[in-house]
Amino acid sequence: MRDYQKLVQILVDFLRDYLEKSGTKNLLLGVSGGIDSAVVATLCKLATPQTHALLMPTSTSNPQNLKDGLWLCENLGIEYQVIDIEPIINAYEKSANVSFNNMRKGNLSARVRMSLLYDRSAVLNALVVGTSNKSEIMLGYGTIYGDLACAINPIANLFKTEIYELAKYLKVHQNFITKAPSADLWQGQSDEADLGYSYAKLDEVLSFIDKHGYKALKDKFDDEILNLVISRIEKNRFKTRMPAIAEI
């Protein structure tokens, strides 16, 4: 069991130190209405009052997520802006003469959001703060150059199950803790339905791999979940590495 009081201080100091060393003045993040961005927003606000947020829904976003995100920003005293990105998605679809399925629209939405965050960061002289947790990063459950892109990420070494515990310690509103985890990329989308297992089960395997590697896995877990986790880790490693460069 982690010492969450100590952890919060470590993460807040990390944000403050990086902000000071970078010479920037502000922190900026995308607030989705989910638990990860709620935790990160809370940490950012503890680190500096100069925290800003963008809320960027589409036509298929859950209205409750926007409502919760707005409440969070107002409750924390975070300066925010709401940008409906549906017109941007529609313009891209029309200009490129394509018709999106859910996955393609979800990936583009994530990249549009990150483009807006980085554009806004230049105006504010801000660092873009990431909201992806360790479970998502290890599984590659995110969009490269989309939600995985950031300047700093205070929760990248925390598994999803730890995010829930940290949220409780930070007294994040129950709305964020009890709702089903979702990237909200399309209507009815659910992380755990996409992945096929609960984060609690996935984190058991992921934390074991993180500590012991693959060699000690034999007979520790069911083959089905083990194969899923290992295949996702291997297939998606490229998302967390610098681009391959030819040696000449």
Short mmCIF file of all heavy atoms in Angstrom, two decimals, residues 4 8 35 38-39 42 46 71-72 75-76 163-177:
data_model
loop_
_atom_site.label_atom_id
_atom_site.label_comp_id
_atom_site.label_asym_id
_atom_site.label_seq_id
_atom_site.Cartn_x
_atom_site.Cartn_y
_atom_site.Cartn_z
N TYR A 4 0.09 7.65 0.34
CA TYR A 4 -0.43 8.63 -0.63
C TYR A 4 -0.15 10.06 -0.22
O TYR A 4 -0.07 10.95 -1.08
CB TYR A 4 -1.92 8.38 -0.87
CG TYR A 4 -2.12 7.17 -1.78
CD1 TYR A 4 -2.39 5.91 -1.25
CD2 TYR A 4 -1.98 7.29 -3.15
CE1 TYR A 4 -2.53 4.81 -2.08
CE2 TYR A 4 -2.11 6.20 -3.99
CZ TYR A 4 -2.39 4.95 -3.44
OH TYR A 4 -2.51 3.86 -4.27
N VAL A 8 1.64 12.37 -3.00
CA VAL A 8 1.12 13.66 -3.47
C VAL A 8 2.21 14.72 -3.40
O VAL A 8 2.38 15.52 -4.33
CB VAL A 8 -0.12 14.09 -2.65
CG1 VAL A 8 -0.48 15.54 -2.92
CG2 VAL A 8 -1.30 13.19 -2.98
N ILE A 35 -11.54 10.10 -14.49
CA ILE A 35 -10.80 10.12 -13.23
C ILE A 35 -9.34 10.54 -13.40
O ILE A 35 -8.79 11.24 -12.55
CB ILE A 35 -10.91 8.75 -12.52
CG1 ILE A 35 -10.36 8.84 -11.08
CG2 ILE A 35 -10.20 7.66 -13.31
CD1 ILE A 35 -10.66 7.63 -10.25
N ALA A 38 -9.08 14.26 -13.78
CA ALA A 38 -9.51 14.87 -12.51
C ALA A 38 -8.38 14.85 -11.49
O ALA A 38 -8.13 15.83 -10.78
CB ALA A 38 -10.74 14.15 -11.97
N VAL A 39 -7.68 13.72 -11.42
CA VAL A 39 -6.54 13.60 -10.50
C VAL A 39 -5.41 14.54 -10.92
O VAL A 39 -4.84 15.26 -10.09
CB VAL A 39 -6.04 12.13 -10.44
CG1 VAL A 39 -4.66 12.05 -9.80
CG2 VAL A 39 -7.03 11.27 -9.69
N THR A 42 -6.21 18.16 -10.20
CA THR A 42 -6.08 18.43 -8.77
C THR A 42 -4.62 18.60 -8.38
O THR A 42 -4.26 19.52 -7.63
CB THR A 42 -6.72 17.30 -7.95
OG1 THR A 42 -8.09 17.13 -8.36
CG2 THR A 42 -6.68 17.61 -6.47
N LEU A 46 -2.69 22.04 -7.03
CA LEU A 46 -1.89 22.06 -5.80
C LEU A 46 -0.49 22.59 -6.07
O LEU A 46 0.12 23.22 -5.20
CB LEU A 46 -1.80 20.64 -5.22
CG LEU A 46 -3.06 20.08 -4.57
CD1 LEU A 46 -2.87 18.60 -4.25
CD2 LEU A 46 -3.43 20.86 -3.31
N TRP A 71 -17.66 21.17 -13.75
CA TRP A 71 -17.76 21.26 -12.29
C TRP A 71 -16.36 21.20 -11.66
O TRP A 71 -16.04 21.96 -10.75
CB TRP A 71 -18.62 20.12 -11.74
CG TRP A 71 -18.72 20.15 -10.25
CD1 TRP A 71 -19.64 20.80 -9.48
CD2 TRP A 71 -17.80 19.54 -9.32
NE1 TRP A 71 -19.38 20.63 -8.15
CE2 TRP A 71 -18.25 19.87 -8.02
CE3 TRP A 71 -16.67 18.74 -9.47
CZ2 TRP A 71 -17.60 19.41 -6.86
CZ3 TRP A 71 -16.00 18.30 -8.32
CH2 TRP A 71 -16.48 18.63 -7.04
N LEU A 72 -15.53 20.30 -12.16
CA LEU A 72 -14.18 20.14 -11.63
C LEU A 72 -13.39 21.43 -11.75
O LEU A 72 -12.77 21.89 -10.79
CB LEU A 72 -13.46 19.00 -12.36
CG LEU A 72 -12.01 18.75 -11.95
CD1 LEU A 72 -11.96 18.03 -10.61
CD2 LEU A 72 -11.28 17.94 -13.01
N ASN A 75 -14.79 24.09 -9.45
CA ASN A 75 -14.55 23.76 -8.05
C ASN A 75 -13.09 23.98 -7.66
O ASN A 75 -12.79 24.43 -6.55
CB ASN A 75 -14.94 22.31 -7.78
CG ASN A 75 -14.84 21.93 -6.32
OD1 ASN A 75 -15.54 22.47 -5.47
ND2 ASN A 75 -13.95 21.00 -6.02
N LEU A 76 -12.17 23.66 -8.58
CA LEU A 76 -10.74 23.84 -8.31
C LEU A 76 -10.26 25.27 -8.58
O LEU A 76 -9.16 25.63 -8.20
CB LEU A 76 -9.92 22.87 -9.17
CG LEU A 76 -10.02 21.38 -8.84
CD1 LEU A 76 -9.25 20.55 -9.88
CD2 LEU A 76 -9.50 21.09 -7.44
N ILE A 163 -4.59 4.98 -9.33
CA ILE A 163 -5.24 6.26 -9.59
C ILE A 163 -6.53 6.37 -8.78
O ILE A 163 -6.84 7.43 -8.22
CB ILE A 163 -5.55 6.42 -11.10
CG1 ILE A 163 -4.26 6.44 -11.93
CG2 ILE A 163 -6.38 7.69 -11.35
CD1 ILE A 163 -3.36 7.62 -11.67
N TYR A 164 -7.26 5.28 -8.68
CA TYR A 164 -8.49 5.30 -7.88
C TYR A 164 -8.18 5.58 -6.41
O TYR A 164 -8.89 6.36 -5.75
CB TYR A 164 -9.23 3.96 -8.01
CG TYR A 164 -10.01 3.84 -9.30
CD1 TYR A 164 -9.55 3.07 -10.36
CD2 TYR A 164 -11.22 4.51 -9.46
CE1 TYR A 164 -10.25 2.97 -11.55
CE2 TYR A 164 -11.94 4.41 -10.64
CZ TYR A 164 -11.45 3.64 -11.68
OH TYR A 164 -12.16 3.55 -12.85
N GLU A 165 -7.14 4.96 -5.89
CA GLU A 165 -6.77 5.18 -4.50
C GLU A 165 -6.29 6.62 -4.29
O GLU A 165 -6.62 7.25 -3.28
CB GLU A 165 -5.68 4.20 -4.07
CG GLU A 165 -6.12 2.74 -4.05
CD GLU A 165 -7.32 2.53 -3.14
OE1 GLU A 165 -7.33 3.05 -2.01
OE2 GLU A 165 -8.27 1.83 -3.58
N LEU A 166 -5.51 7.13 -5.23
CA LEU A 166 -5.04 8.50 -5.14
C LEU A 166 -6.21 9.48 -5.21
O LEU A 166 -6.25 10.48 -4.49
CB LEU A 166 -4.03 8.79 -6.26
CG LEU A 166 -3.45 10.20 -6.32
CD1 LEU A 166 -2.80 10.60 -5.00
CD2 LEU A 166 -2.45 10.30 -7.47
N ALA A 167 -7.17 9.19 -6.08
CA ALA A 167 -8.36 10.05 -6.20
C ALA A 167 -9.12 10.12 -4.88
O ALA A 167 -9.58 11.19 -4.47
CB ALA A 167 -9.27 9.52 -7.31
N LYS A 168 -9.24 8.99 -4.21
CA LYS A 168 -9.93 8.97 -2.91
C LYS A 168 -9.15 9.80 -1.89
O LYS A 168 -9.75 10.56 -1.11
CB LYS A 168 -10.07 7.53 -2.42
CG LYS A 168 -11.05 6.70 -3.25
CD LYS A 168 -11.02 5.23 -2.82
CE LYS A 168 -11.86 4.37 -3.74
NZ LYS A 168 -11.75 2.93 -3.42
N TYR A 169 -7.83 9.67 -1.89
CA TYR A 169 -7.01 10.45 -0.96
C TYR A 169 -7.16 11.95 -1.22
O TYR A 169 -7.24 12.76 -0.29
CB TYR A 169 -5.54 10.05 -1.06
CG TYR A 169 -4.66 10.88 -0.16
CD1 TYR A 169 -4.54 10.57 1.19
CD2 TYR A 169 -3.98 11.99 -0.66
CE1 TYR A 169 -3.77 11.36 2.03
CE2 TYR A 169 -3.21 12.79 0.17
CZ TYR A 169 -3.11 12.46 1.51
OH TYR A 169 -2.35 13.26 2.34
N LEU A 170 -7.20 12.32 -2.50
CA LEU A 170 -7.32 13.73 -2.88
C LEU A 170 -8.75 14.27 -2.73
O LEU A 170 -9.00 15.44 -3.00
CB LEU A 170 -6.86 13.92 -4.33
CG LEU A 170 -5.37 13.75 -4.61
CD1 LEU A 170 -5.11 13.71 -6.11
CD2 LEU A 170 -4.56 14.87 -3.95
N LYS A 171 -9.67 13.37 -2.34
CA LYS A 171 -11.08 13.72 -2.19
C LYS A 171 -11.70 14.21 -3.50
O LYS A 171 -12.50 15.15 -3.52
CB LYS A 171 -11.26 14.75 -1.08
CG LYS A 171 -10.90 14.22 0.30
CD LYS A 171 -11.15 15.26 1.39
CE LYS A 171 -11.01 14.66 2.78
NZ LYS A 171 -9.74 13.99 3.04
N VAL A 172 -11.29 13.56 -4.58
CA VAL A 172 -11.93 13.81 -5.87
C VAL A 172 -13.38 13.36 -5.78
O VAL A 172 -13.69 12.35 -5.13
CB VAL A 172 -11.19 13.05 -7.00
CG1 VAL A 172 -11.97 13.09 -8.31
CG2 VAL A 172 -9.79 13.63 -7.19
N HIS A 173 -14.28 14.10 -6.40
CA HIS A 173 -15.71 13.81 -6.29
C HIS A 173 -16.03 12.39 -6.74
O HIS A 173 -15.43 11.87 -7.68
CB HIS A 173 -16.50 14.81 -7.15
CG HIS A 173 -17.97 14.85 -6.83
ND1 HIS A 173 -18.85 13.89 -7.28
CD2 HIS A 173 -18.70 15.73 -6.10
CE1 HIS A 173 -20.07 14.18 -6.85
NE2 HIS A 173 -20.00 15.29 -6.13
N GLN A 174 -17.01 11.79 -6.05
CA GLN A 174 -17.40 10.41 -6.34
C GLN A 174 -17.84 10.19 -7.78
O GLN A 174 -17.72 9.08 -8.30
CB GLN A 174 -18.55 9.99 -5.40
CG GLN A 174 -18.08 9.60 -4.01
CD GLN A 174 -17.23 8.34 -4.02
OE1 GLN A 174 -16.03 8.38 -3.75
NE2 GLN A 174 -17.83 7.21 -4.34
N ASN A 175 -18.34 11.23 -8.43
CA ASN A 175 -18.76 11.10 -9.84
C ASN A 175 -17.63 10.55 -10.70
O ASN A 175 -17.85 9.77 -11.63
CB ASN A 175 -19.21 12.44 -10.40
CG ASN A 175 -20.62 12.79 -9.99
OD1 ASN A 175 -21.23 12.08 -9.19
ND2 ASN A 175 -21.14 13.90 -10.50
N PHE A 176 -16.40 10.99 -10.41
CA PHE A 176 -15.24 10.57 -11.20
C PHE A 176 -14.79 9.16 -10.82
O PHE A 176 -14.24 8.43 -11.65
CB PHE A 176 -14.09 11.55 -11.01
CG PHE A 176 -14.40 12.95 -11.45
CD1 PHE A 176 -14.84 13.89 -10.54
CD2 PHE A 176 -14.27 13.32 -12.78
CE1 PHE A 176 -15.15 15.18 -10.93
CE2 PHE A 176 -14.57 14.61 -13.19
CZ PHE A 176 -15.02 15.54 -12.26
N ILE A 177 -15.00 8.79 -9.58
CA ILE A 177 -14.52 7.50 -9.08
C ILE A 177 -15.45 6.36 -9.46
O ILE A 177 -15.01 5.25 -9.76
CB ILE A 177 -14.35 7.58 -7.54
CG1 ILE A 177 -13.23 8.59 -7.20
CG2 ILE A 177 -14.02 6.21 -6.95
CD1 ILE A 177 -13.11 8.90 -5.72
#
